Amino acid sequence: MKSGVNATTKLIFEEKKAIKLFLWLFYIFYFAFDILYYYFYPIYTKSNSLGFPRDGLGLWLYVLVLGLLYPAIYYYKKENPYIIKYIIVIGYVIIDTTNVIIVNFGSLKPFDTGNIVEILFFFFSPIFVNKKYFWTASSLIMGRYLFLGLVLQDKRYFFPIVIYLIIFAISWIILIRFYSYINSLKNAYEELRQKEKLATMGQMAAAIGHEIRNPLASLRGFTQLQQERNPNTNDFYPIMIQEIDRINIIVDDLMYLGKPKAIQIEKENIEEIIAYTLSILQQQARRQGVNVETVMEGPLPPIDCDEKQLKQVFINLIKNAIEAMPDGGKIKINLKAPKENKLLITIQDEGCGIEDEDLLNLGDPFYTTKKEGTGLGLMVTNNIIKDHKGELIINSRIGEGTKIEVVLPITQK
């Protein structure tokens, strides 16, 4: 909750800084331009029209423009600076358009309107990093000239639209680059935050796993001893040992999370790794009525890998497939002949499938769709495959099952 409040406070603070700069530039540019245009320019061109014009709104034009400061200051103090930029641009367009219509309606005066602040509205939009404001300001500025040209029936009012379209395109490119840069910073921050979170959890997991492993080994040993002493008196010993082994697998995942093991690369046979995995999980599959079918397409060359880690990968993936079919079904494991120096192993089940929103989060620590899952197995699996410079691809449809593809590189001699 506090982080959300802090983020909102920071956003308001940054918006207020941008608004202060925007207001300063708006009024400096607005009055400086008119002073130059109505005083210095006539002196340079030796024109008789020296001084601010008194037709139209006259000096009230500047009073009304200054009056826009009142609502701006009000909303600034109310901690709602986001609306101020809209007040300024809408207020300017209404006031200046009204003044031009009063001055030029029904007269033959030469084209004489606009202010340099209109360019400021375009080029300052990327500072706010707000597409809605950009489109609002652009539409109002160009729309005002279109409106004036139609009302005053003067084609010369359409010429600024062409110029502003060019400025619009430049500003749009700048705004898009701002968005891209900010998104890159956000992604980098999220990645760094995720790494810090994983590092903290890893330290905790390693400590917890180490403390659990020793009593767990003793517990398994005593359970096996009791089973040997009383082989025919209790059918629960195998279940107890099986559950202890399951806890031990979770501890292994915790230990890996805390300190990933160094990879010991050797030439290994992928068929033997899959066969070993199936022998480990055969009893669980038979108990749940799951039939495992293995298809190997063509001769498979040995791959460079850490045998123990790859065994852990396929134990996790096939175990997940078995658990996805509590009422039985078929798992098809397909090992395809290598193409482009890559070996593809596909594991497809007939389970309930995975929701799209869950697919996006699979692999995040402690995120799981299983009632008794920890969310560590798939994360560890994905990390091992990445360490082997491979790729894990998961496709799933609700009611049809899940297809997992493991892509592993093959090193050519």
Side-chain angles (χ1 to χ4, degrees):
M1 185 70 178
K2 286 184 178 179
S3 61
V5 173
N6 290 336
T8 303
T9 304
K10 288 178 182 178
L11 287 173
I12 292 175
F13 176 73
E14 291 298 326
E15 182 75 9
K16 289 174 77 172
K17 286 200 305 183
I19 282 294
K20 286 173 72 173
L21 177 60
F22 175 70
L23 290 175
W24 275 107
L25 291 176
F26 173 77
Y27 282 105
I28 289 173
F29 280 23
Y30 184 82
F31 287 105
F33 180 82
D34 275 17
I35 290 171
L36 288 171
Y37 187 80
Y38 291 117
Y39 280 91
F40 290 93
Y41 181 72
I43 293 173
Y44 177 75
T45 58
K46 297 180 181 180
S47 173
N48 294 326
S49 58
L50 184 67
F52 289 111
R54 298 186 177 276
D55 51 357
L57 293 175
L59 293 177
W60 277 102
L61 172 68
Y62 304 102
V63 173
L64 291 172
V65 170
L66 279 172
L68 296 175
L69 269 176
Y70 176 78
I73 294 172
Y74 172 80
Y75 284 107
Y76 187 90
K77 291 182 177 179
K78 287 288 185 180
E79 299 293 321
N80 186 14
Y82 302 102
I83 198 173
I84 295 174
K85 52 184 175 287
Y86 293 100
I87 292 174
I88 298 299
V89 67
I90 294 172
Y92 165 79
V93 168
I94 293 174
I95 294 169
D96 201 72
T97 303
T98 303
N99 180 66
V100 172
I101 291 175
I102 294 174
V103 172
N104 294 279
F105 191 75
S107 70
L108 298 176
K109 287 189 176 184
F111 175 82
D112 183 19
T113 184
N115 192 289
I116 197 172
V117 293
E118 294 173 0
I119 299 177
L120 175 69
F121 289 134
F122 282 94
F123 282 122
F124 209 86
S125 296
I127 304 297
F128 292 115
V129 197
N130 188 317
K131 291 182 181 178
K132 181 181 178 182
Y133 170 73
F134 175 81
W135 285 105
T136 301
S138 304
S139 302
L140 285 172
I141 296 300
M142 290 189 286
R144 116 184 177 90
Y145 283 98
L146 178 63
F147 174 75
L148 289 172
L150 295 174
V151 171
L152 300 177
Q153 297 183 352
D154 191 338
K155 295 180 180 179
R156 291 172 297 178
Y157 285 95
F158 299 136
F159 178 70
I161 298 177
V162 178
I163 298 175
Y164 284 138
L165 280 173
I166 298 172
I167 297 174
F168 167 86
I170 297 172
S171 300
W172 176 253
I173 293 171
I174 296 172
L175 179 60
I176 293 301
R177 292 305 306 151
F178 269 54
Y179 263 94
S180 177
Y181 181 67
I182 289 173
N183 286 334
S184 298
L185 288 178
K186 283 182 179 179
N187 292 335
Y189 170 76
E190 287 298 326
E191 186 176 346
L192 180 61
R193 196 163 67 95
Q194 184 73 1
K195 287 181 178 179
E196 290 177 351
K197 184 169 69 172
L198 285 175
T200 303
M201 288 191 302
Q203 293 174 357
M204 294 175 59
I208 294 170
H210 180 73
E211 294 300 322
I212 293 175
R213 176 162 283 177
N214 292 334
L216 199 62
S218 300
L219 185 60
R220 194 182 194 282
F222 284 124
T223 305
Q224 284 180 318
L225 181 61
Q226 290 297 319
Q227 185 182 19
E228 292 172 1
R229 288 180 177 178
N230 307 285
N232 300 318
T233 57
N234 200 324
D235 295 332
F236 295 112
Y237 287 123
I239 298 174
M240 293 167 65
I241 293 173
Q242 182 181 332
E243 291 302 305
I244 291 172
D245 288 338
R246 192 165 72 90
I247 296 172
N248 201 41
I249 291 174
I250 296 172
V251 171
D252 285 339
D253 290 341
L254 286 171
M255 296 296 288
Y256 183 91
L257 181 64
K259 187 178 180 181
K261 299 175 183 177
I263 298 179
Q264 298 178 355
I265 299 294
E266 293 181 2
K267 290 286 185 183
E268 301 292 346
N269 192 313
I270 189 65
E271 295 105 311
E272 293 179 1
I273 293 174
I274 297 294
Y276 173 83
T277 303
L278 293 176
S279 67
I280 295 294
L281 298 171
Q282 185 178 9
Q283 185 178 358
Q284 181 182 355
R286 189 181 297 120
R287 189 169 58 247
Q288 290 189 205
V290 175
N291 181 35
V292 181
E293 177 186 340
T294 305
V295 178
M296 298 185 186
E297 299 180 5
L300 301 175
I303 61 173
D304 293 327
C305 67
D306 186 314
E307 181 184 10
K308 292 182 179 179
Q309 290 197 11
L310 273 195
K311 284 178 179 177
Q312 184 178 357
V313 164
F314 290 111
I315 285 173
N316 287 340
L317 294 178
I318 298 173
K319 185 172 179 290
N320 285 344
I322 293 172
E323 291 176 350
M325 297 182 291
D327 299 325
K330 183 172 74 172
I331 296 174
K332 185 175 181 180
I333 302 174
N334 192 304
L335 289 83
K336 291 188 177 180
K339 292 182 180 179
E340 299 179 355
N341 297 330
K342 290 182 179 180
L343 179 66
L344 176 63
I345 302 101
T346 304
I347 302 169
Q348 187 164 5
D349 64 54
E350 299 175 346
C352 57
I354 305 171
E355 296 281 357
D356 291 341
E357 57 187 28
D358 291 326
L359 275 176
L360 297 174
N361 297 310
L362 287 181
D364 289 349
F366 305 110
Y367 184 89
T368 179
T369 58
K370 296 186 291 187
K371 293 181 179 179
E372 299 180 357
T374 62
L376 295 176
L378 197 57
M379 189 201 74
V380 171
T381 297
N382 195 31
N383 288 342
I384 292 174
I385 292 174
K386 285 182 179 178
D387 290 341
H388 282 75
K389 303 188 184 312
E391 186 179 5
L392 179 67
I393 304 169
I394 303 175
N395 295 300
S396 185
R397 289 187 178 182
I398 297 298
E400 295 183 13
T402 302
K403 180 180 179 181
I404 296 177
E405 295 178 347
V406 178
V407 183
L408 295 172
I410 296 177
T411 305
Q412 296 290 335
K413 291 184 179 181

